[in-house]
Amino acid sequence: DVKVTQSSRYLVKRTGEKVFLECVQDMDHENMFWYRQDPGLGLRLIYFSYDVKMKEKGDIPEGYSVSREKKERFSLILESASTNQTSMYLCASSPGTSLGDTQYFGPGTRLTVL
Amino acid sequence: AQSVTQLDSQVPVFEEAPVELRCNYSSSVSVYLFWYVQYPNQGLQLLLKYLSGSTLVKGINGFEAEFNKSQTSFHLRKPSVHISDTAEYFCAASSNFGNEKLTFGTGTRLTIIP
C-alpha cells in the first residue's frame, strides 16, 4: 500500500513565523503535490514537483515556497505565516508513469496561524 | 483551462436510499475524470476514475459513475447508501496531455440519515 505521511496533524503558529510542513511518501513516486483545503473552495493546488529539485507553481503559490531535495520528501514552506494561511494542507503523490495516474493523499495538517 | 462544478454542497439521504452526486466539467480539451472521498479526519482516497473506454465506471464501496460527453457530466451514484458512506466527495479533472495537475470541485458533503 502507498503511504503518504505528513509531519504533523495539527500545528499552531504565530503571524510572521516561518513554517515548515513535511511530506514523505514510500512508493518511489515521481510526482508530489501540495494542496490547501478550505470549506466551500475544495482543494486548490499550491505547488507540485515532478522530479527532485524540480517544481512548478500551482494555482495559488503566493506566500509559499517548496523544496524537494530527495525523491521521497516534499516540503512546503511559509516564509512569513499570515492569518489567511490558516487552513488544512494536504500532500499527495503519484507514480508519474502516465497521465491519469491516481494521486495518493496524506492525512493532512491543520494549520492555525494566530 | 478547465473547471469542475459540484452544484450540491450538502446532500442528506436516508439510509438504504439511492443517491446521486452531480459533477459537471468544462474543458477545451479531453479530460480524465475522478471521484475522491474524504472520510472525517482523513485524507482523500480514490473512489473511481474515467480515462477512456466504457462510459460506466465502477469503483469501490458500490459506487459507480457515468461519463457523459454531450452533457459534460460525471455523476456519481450508489443504489443503496449506508451510514459508513457519510463523507465529503470531490470530483476532479485533469487534461489528457501536459502534466498531471488536478482541478477539484468544491465538494459535496453526503450525510446519511438513519
Side-chain angles (χ1 to χ4, degrees):
Chain A
D1 276 356
V2 176
K3 194 165 184 183
V4 180
T5 56
Q6 296 183 228
S7 50
S8 306
R9 291 300 303 270
Y10 299 93
L11 208 53
V12 180
K13 295 292 181 180
R14 295 203 176 274
T15 302
E17 279 192 80
K18 190 169 186 176
V19 181
F20 293 87
L21 303 183
E22 304 284 336
C23 175
V24 177
Q25 50 94 3
D26 66 356
M27 281 301 291
D28 200 37
H29 282 174
E30 300 291 330
N31 299 334
M32 295 187 76
F33 307 82
W34 275 108
Y35 296 90
R36 65 176 281 175
Q37 180 181 9
D38 299 289
L41 297 177
L43 276 75
R44 293 177 291 166
L45 182 65
I46 304 171
Y47 268 97
F48 68 101
S49 168
Y50 49 89
D51 201 352
V52 175
K53 297 191 186 295
M54 307 299 286
K55 61 185 179 184
E56 281 199 31
K57 292 180 180 179
D59 300 316
I60 51 164
E62 297 79 17
Y64 304 94
S65 62
V66 291
S67 172
R68 193 166 180 202
E69 297 296 320
K70 292 186 178 181
K71 192 174 187 179
E72 68 270 17
R73 189 178 298 269
F74 191 36
S75 303
L76 180 69
I77 303 153
L78 287 65
E79 295 289 342
S80 177
S82 63
T83 54
N84 62 12
Q85 292 179 310
T86 291
S87 186
M88 170 71 87
Y89 290 88
L90 292 167
C91 175
S93 71
S94 70
T97 52
S98 63
L99 295 175
D101 275 342
T102 299
Q103 290 188 18
Y104 296 87
F105 284 81
T109 295
R110 186 167 295 281
L111 172 67
T112 301
V113 182
L114 301 175
Chain B
Q2 58 202 17
S3 66
V4 177
T5 302
Q6 293 180 250
L7 285 174
D8 304 308
S9 60
Q10 297 189 61
V11 173
V13 179
F14 285 104
E15 194 173 12
E16 298 184 7
V19 68
E20 178 179 87
L21 305 184
R22 297 181 294 167
C23 173
N24 288 88
Y25 69 93
S26 65
S27 176
S28 56
V29 298
S30 295
V31 295
Y32 297 137
L33 295 161
F34 305 76
W35 275 99
Y36 282 85
V37 60
Q38 184 178 34
Y39 297 107
N41 299 314
Q42 295 185 28
L44 278 69
Q45 64 182 87
L46 182 73
L47 267 181
L48 49 80
K49 62 183 178 182
Y50 172 78
L51 302 182
S52 64
S54 171
T55 57
L56 183 63
V57 181
K58 293 190 184 297
I60 61 170
N61 300 341
F63 283 93
E64 63 181 34
E66 184 150 22
F67 170 62
N68 187 319
K69 190 174 182 179
S70 63
Q71 303 282 334
T72 61
S73 67
F74 190 55
H75 301 332
L76 182 70
R77 300 187 184 100
K78 186 170 182 178
S80 175
V81 296
H82 303 285
I83 291 287
S84 58
D85 294 322
T86 296
E88 190 150 23
Y89 292 79
F90 292 94
C91 184
S94 67
S95 66
N96 67 353
F97 74 93
N99 59 50
E100 292 184 35
K101 190 175 142 179
L102 276 178
T103 300
F104 282 87
T106 51
T108 298
R109 186 168 298 277
L110 177 63
T111 301
I112 309 302
I113 305 164

